[in-house]
């Protein structure tokens, strides 16, 4: 048996947590021969519900689940962890401005960044899901002294999966036939699902889907507004699909990317594509055979794409400005 991987999940009793933990414990995230330890973190009011979730995990008798531990103490929760999945955050309430939300959640992520730096394993990788996830990741990264910036990520995979599904439906193919789809920028309504470089069964997507008006209009807005459409239909925000995207993100970051393809995840920008160094921005990423990641270079960016990328990066710069007090110099 391999040595167990330790995974910490915040907001573990929330709806994404409920859809995610059972996937991790069953082997979907790290494969069918990789045992896991789960360290589940909730705030005090969530601890009773978390006890129930832990009882259910026990009742699954998962062969790969080595141990489960629930806590509201951050350093305990991140102790020796290899993967910190930061899902919990405070939802936006009626009357709350975007900057209020940035400030409230920002404070959570300073503490979590510090605790990760103090308690986690040296190779810890952190994936932020809780919104606004790019800027929360920026804050956590800047407060985790000693943890390399390359080990911080924010999730845009749900957007990639949504975009692939829309494109596949339009072209009458399976979503797995759509490759080279990149989400640029922020996980917000300004994100840009870049169809210009996408392929269908290896062919340029724009030679298969020739309705440029649909691509530039309805397609982009459907992907950007998909979260809101699900809330309207379901009365609650996306949870199972978000949890699935967490599984996909970690899986893509731990397995070599198929030749010629890429995947979307927000990383600490190394300055690629003119995106300010140090911002947490989504771009085309490859995972290498040695487990490291790199930005895919020389992906063509036409004038239309550049305008969309500029808009979403500007929003990230504004968010960064709004939380600058939470980022140590
Ligand atoms: P829920 O409200 O169901 O659950 C959140 C849980 O987090 C609650 O149990 C709460 O007690 C806990 N929590 C709050 N503050 C915490 C803290 N400081 N430490 C530990 N736990 C804490 O929300 P859920 O639907 O699970 O969504 C979680 C987050 O994911 C939200 O911020 C949501 O906006 C975000 N999402 C991000 C997505 C992405 O693609 N990046 C997509 C789905 C989702 O909207």
């Amino acid at each position: 048996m391999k040595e167990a991987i330790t995974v910490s999940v915040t907001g573990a009793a929330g709806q994404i947590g409920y859809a995610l933990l059972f996937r991790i414990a069953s082997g979907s995230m790290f494969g069918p021969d990789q045992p896991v330890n789960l360290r589940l973190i909730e705030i005090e009011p969530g601890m009773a519900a978390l006890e129930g979730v832990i009882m259910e995990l026990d009742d699954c008798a998962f062969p790969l689940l080595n141990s489960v531990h629930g806590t509201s103490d951050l350093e305990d929760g991140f102790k020796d962890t290899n993967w910190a999945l930061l899902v919990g955050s405070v939802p936006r309430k009626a009357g709350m401005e975007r900057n209020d939300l940035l400030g409230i959640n920002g404070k959570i992520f300073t503490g979590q960044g510090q605790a990760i730096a103090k308690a986690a394993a040296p190779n810890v990788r952190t994936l932020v899901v809780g919104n606004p996830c790019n800027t929360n990741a920026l804050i956590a990264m800047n407060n985790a002294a000693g943890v390399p910036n390359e080990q911080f990520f924010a999730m845009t995979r749900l957007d990639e999966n949504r975009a692939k599904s829309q494109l596949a439906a339009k072209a009458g193919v399976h979503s797995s036939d759509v490759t080279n789809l990149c989400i640029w920028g922020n996980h917000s309504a300004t994100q840009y699902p870049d169809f210009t470089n996408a392929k269908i069964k290896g062919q340029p997507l724009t030679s298969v889907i020739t309705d440029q008006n649909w691509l530039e209009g309805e397609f982009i807005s459907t992907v950007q507004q998909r979260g809101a459409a699900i809330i309207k239909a379901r009365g609650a925000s996306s949870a199972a699909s978000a949890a699935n995207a967490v599984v996909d993100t970690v899986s893509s970051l731990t397995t070599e990317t198929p030749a010629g393809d890429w995947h979307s995840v927000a990383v600490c920008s190394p300055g690629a594509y003119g995106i300010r160094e140090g911002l947490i921005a989504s771009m085309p990423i490859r995972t290498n055979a040695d487990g490291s990641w790199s930005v895919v270079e020389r992906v063509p960016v036409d004038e239309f794409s550049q305008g969309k990328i500029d808009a979403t990066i500007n929003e990230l710069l504004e968010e960064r400005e709004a939380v600058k007090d939470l980022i140590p110099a």
Side-chain angles (χ1 to χ4, degrees):
M1 239 346 186
K2 290 181 181 172
E3 200 183 320
I5 288 180
T6 300
V7 184
S8 301
V9 182
T10 70
Q15 40 153 16
I16 295 176
Y18 193 68
L20 175 63
L21 301 177
F22 300 84
R23 303 269 321 265
I24 302 174
S26 66
S28 301
M29 189 174 269
F30 297 105
D33 61 349
Q34 176 58 63
V36 288
N37 300 315
L38 285 176
R39 299 187 79 81
L40 308 180
I41 305 172
E42 260 296 341
I43 46 176
E44 275 303 330
M47 285 306 286
L50 183 60
E51 282 306 313
V53 175
I54 292 175
M55 285 157 73
E56 285 202 74
L57 282 164
D58 288 343
D59 294 350
C60 291
F62 283 119
L64 293 171
L65 188 54
N66 195 50
S67 69
V68 193
H69 176 65
T71 181
S72 59
D73 179 89
L74 290 178
E75 285 181 32
D76 182 27
F78 293 124
K79 189 173 183 307
D80 298 330
T81 203
N82 305 111
W83 277 95
L85 306 177
L86 309 187
V87 179
S89 69
V90 175
R92 187 164 172 178
K93 300 195 183 87
M96 210 187 254
E97 296 295 330
R98 194 175 170 85
N99 279 1
D100 298 336
L101 186 70
L102 282 164
I104 293 168
N105 279 317
K107 291 196 187 72
I108 295 175
F109 288 83
T110 48
Q112 294 188 352
Q114 288 160 1
I116 287 168
K118 213 163 174 185
N123 71 354
V124 62
R125 282 183 272 181
T126 299
L127 173 66
V128 181
V129 177
N131 280 321
C133 63
N134 296 57
T135 296
N136 289 341
L138 180 83
I139 294 166
M141 177 181 82
N142 279 287
N143 284 278
V147 183
N149 290 352
E150 297 75 39
Q151 292 171 208
F152 284 84
F153 308 91
M155 189 170 91
T156 53
R157 183 57 168 268
L158 178 54
D159 309 302
E160 177 185 319
N161 288 347
R162 286 167 170 168
K164 283 180 167 171
S165 159
Q166 293 297 321
L167 294 168
K170 182 78 173 174
V173 298
H174 192 268
S175 52
S176 57
D177 293 326
V178 184
T179 60
N180 301 82
L181 190 290
C182 172
I183 302 294
W184 293 91
N186 202 2
H187 168 71
S188 75
T190 65
Q191 60 165 286
Y192 172 48
D194 180 0
F195 57 85
T196 66
N197 294 292
K199 293 179 180 165
I200 290 184
K201 296 185 180 174
Q203 300 302 311
L205 177 128
T206 46
S207 69
V208 181
I209 301 176
T210 52
D211 184 349
Q212 194 72 12
N213 284 338
W214 181 83
L215 286 168
E216 292 185 5
E218 195 182 330
F219 161 66
I220 294 179
S221 59
T222 300
V223 176
Q224 290 175 336
Q225 300 301 330
R226 187 69 165 182
I230 285 167
I231 293 174
K232 195 161 169 240
R234 209 173 82 87
S237 57
S238 341
S241 55
N244 179 66
V246 178
V247 172
D248 283 351
T249 305
V250 173
S251 173
S252 288
L253 285 169
T254 49
T255 50
E256 188 177 3
T257 307
D261 202 1
W262 53 72
H263 60 96
S264 308
V265 59
V267 298
C268 178
S269 171
Y273 295 99
I275 298 170
R276 163 95 68 91
E277 198 176 335
L279 271 189
I280 298 278
S282 186
M283 55 188 92
I285 297 299
R286 278 192 59 79
T287 303
N288 306 311
D290 66 0
S292 64
W293 60 262
S294 24
V295 180
V296 180
E297 289 172 16
R298 290 184 287 278
V299 171
V301 175
D302 65 14
E303 203 182 329
F304 176 81
S305 295
Q306 191 62 58
K308 297 286 180 194
I309 294 170
D310 288 347
T312 190
I313 297 301
N314 281 339
E315 185 184 52
L316 283 174
L317 289 167
E318 282 167 22
E319 288 188 13
R320 188 188 194 285
E321 182 61 23
V323 301
K324 64 176 189 290
D325 294 346
L326 302 174
I327 297 178

